[in-house]
Amino acid sequence: MKEIITGREALMRALKAEGVDTIFGYPGGSIMPVYDSLYDYTRGDKKSFHHVLVRHEQGAVHAAQGYARVSGKVGVSIVTSGPGATNTLTGVADAMLDSTPLVVIAGQVGIGALGTDAFQEVDLVGVSQPISKWSYQIRHADDVAWAVSRAFYIARSGRPGPVVLDFPKNAQTHTCEWTGPAHVDFVRSYVPYPTPSDEAIAQAAQLINEAKRPLALVGQGVELGNAHQELLEMIEKADIPVGRTLLGLSALSSRHPLNKGMLGMHGQYSLNMKTQEADVIIAIGMRFSDRVTGLPSTYARQAKIIHLDIDKAEINKCIHADVPVIGDCKVTLPAITKLLKKNDHTEWKNSFDEYFEMEKQQVIEPAIHPTEGPLLMGEVVNVVAEATKGDAVLVTDVGQNQMLSARYFHYNRQRSIVTSGGLGTMGFGMPAAIGATFGAPDRTVCMFCGDGGFQMNLQELGTIMEQQAPVKMVLLNNNYLGNVRQWQDMFWEGHRSFTPMLNPKYDLIARAYGIPYELVVNREELVAKVQAMLTTDGPFILECAIKEDADVMPMTAPGKSVDEMMLNFEG
């Protein structure tokens, strides 16, 4: 006998078939039929999903990002039409730039009302298409199972990314024959896993074998491809020092002897300087962001560039690749390693030490072990990092807090950093941390945030309160939009135009949400209060009164070469 069901019921079954367990969302008029079905699937015999009611649709997508980044699964958000849908677009764009697999499902007015400027109507497919991997309107209930399967396939395969499904109300309420979940594993003209060129593999191996000063630049592609072991085998066999991008920091343990630190504008001084001395650079799953290369015309001109990436569009986009190796690094890394000779680059590796010692004495030690003056961001991060022993998940907002927490946190396990890289989205941290607690419920999630970013999605404290999401929130409060203030001091004649912040009493906000809170003003109490935060069940806010005008150093100024990196700024 045929089984006839509604489109909204088909959506529930299709999501269940994709292994979805957590949904971040916010109900509204055009998505109400779906939420009516969701009611049954979150309780009783049908219970399949845990729904997290966020306080803003932007928070729903950032939470889904945090969930996806730590779990390796596809994050799912469900919202209503109009402003509900447009509120997700920042998160969609963020996920696109940072290759995060998401499926965002938004309600839409009925097909008959499209184009009439109906209440809460917006052309979601039109506005989301440029910032997503795929955007599609499900116009008929019959198409639900296929569209959902295709959406998940596109979101998770190849270079991951966000997919947007626009779901008109009639397709939710009309009926269709249910024949079981669809299984889409092929899309014409879409090649998620290119076949690597044997010639390129051989050329890459030859360059690495002949190199005297090789340097590997490791990005998030290693995490996304689950190629951690393959990376280790290659770098250890060829004895190659490694720099990691911001999003690739946990692709290699902080303790590994070949790890030379973080790349980029605020990365390790030694790495930037040595980039300009390397004779072969092996870029693995990274896109040569401007924050890594500095002035592109002067970047590593002396080096042969090997670029391993699953996305052909990244090849030669920013930096010319002498040997492009297009394919999944889970496949290309072992293929290259097989052709490598066992090597020893001790002299080259040791040559980093002189630059590192300069940075350690002038920047690192004063940042993490100050002996006088106000608290510094770096020392707070260092105390939390030591207390969590490199096993926690770091979630950051954007700004000075992001750069310093990324620099001084410790990473022993994969998928341990969640941050907004390409888009640089303030307000990302709090909702992303909520999602991370659901994606990795067995791990401690520490969120570092400035006073600016903390207030951008402050309402998500309500989600934390309701879910009792155990987010350890470290609020680094310097009463400034610190990163902008730093740039104003350095490049805009010290004109601090609208960067001082008049802040609320965060202890009262914490009390209003029933979240434990402590304030740290003196460094003598920092260790004890960090321990109190980490040993308290559930969420916690630790506000730290930070030096107002401290800068993030070292720094490669915009438009400068990476070997013109500044260790300090005198003003």
Side-chain angles (χ1 to χ4, degrees), residues 222-416:
V222 172
E223 298 256 58
L224 297 173
N226 295 310
H228 305 83
Q229 185 59 37
E230 289 79 4
L231 172 68
L232 282 176
E233 289 171 3
M234 188 194 82
I235 62 174
E236 289 175 355
K237 184 175 183 181
D239 199 32
I240 303 172
V242 175
R244 302 160 298 158
T245 67
L246 175 64
L247 269 64
L249 281 171
S250 60
L252 181 69
S253 170
S254 302
R255 297 176 178 176
H256 196 283
L258 290 171
N259 165 47
K260 296 297 181 180
M262 183 174 82
L263 295 163
M265 176 180 281
H266 293 293
Q268 254 59 52
Y269 180 65
S270 56
L271 270 171
N272 276 13
M273 302 301 288
K274 287 298 176 177
T275 294
Q276 303 297 71
E277 297 179 27
D279 58 1
V280 172
I281 286 178
I282 310 104
I284 307 166
M286 54 88 73
R287 60 187 178 86
F288 286 111
S289 159
D290 59 293
R291 289 297 173 104
V292 166
T293 65
L295 185 64
S297 61
T298 65
Y299 182 77
R301 287 176 296 183
Q302 78 294 337
K304 294 290 185 182
I305 306 291
I306 302 167
H307 193 175
L308 282 67
D309 207 288
I310 200 168
D311 187 355
K312 187 178 180 179
E314 292 298 340
I315 304 298
N316 298 328
K317 187 167 79 175
C318 300
I319 298 295
H320 172 73
D322 296 282
V323 180
V325 182
I326 303 167
D328 187 346
C329 60
K330 185 84 171 174
V331 175
T332 56
L333 281 171
I336 292 172
T337 302
K338 186 177 179 181
L339 302 178
L340 294 182
K341 302 172 185 173
K342 184 74 175 173
N343 219 323
D344 184 346
H345 292 292
T346 299
E347 184 178 350
W348 165 239
K349 290 184 299 181
N350 290 345
S351 71
F352 284 71
D353 294 348
E354 179 183 356
Y355 291 116
F356 178 75
E357 284 302 316
M358 289 174 59
E359 182 181 3
K360 183 178 179 181
Q361 296 305 317
Q362 296 185 43
V363 179
I364 298 174
E365 281 300 312
I368 67 174
H369 294 130
T371 56
E372 58 185 10
L375 276 174
L376 299 179
M377 289 188 185
E379 70 175 308
V380 175
V381 174
N382 185 60
V383 168
V384 177
E386 290 185 347
T388 54
K389 298 180 172 59
D391 292 326
V393 174
L394 168 68
V395 182
T396 85
D397 208 80
V398 167
Q400 289 184 318
N401 67 90
Q402 177 186 35
M403 293 296 101
L404 286 166
S405 59
R407 272 178 64 86
Y408 296 124
F409 213 69
H410 304 158
Y411 312 93
N412 293 340
R413 300 169 61 179
Q414 62 194 53
R415 295 187 176 274
S416 289

Side-chain angles (χ1 to χ4, degrees), residues 443-459:
R443 301 184 65 185
T444 299
V445 175
C446 295
M447 190 275 289
F448 287 85
C449 197
D451 42 314
F454 193 80
Q455 294 179 79
M456 277 203 171
N457 270 314
L458 183 69
Q459 74 284 340

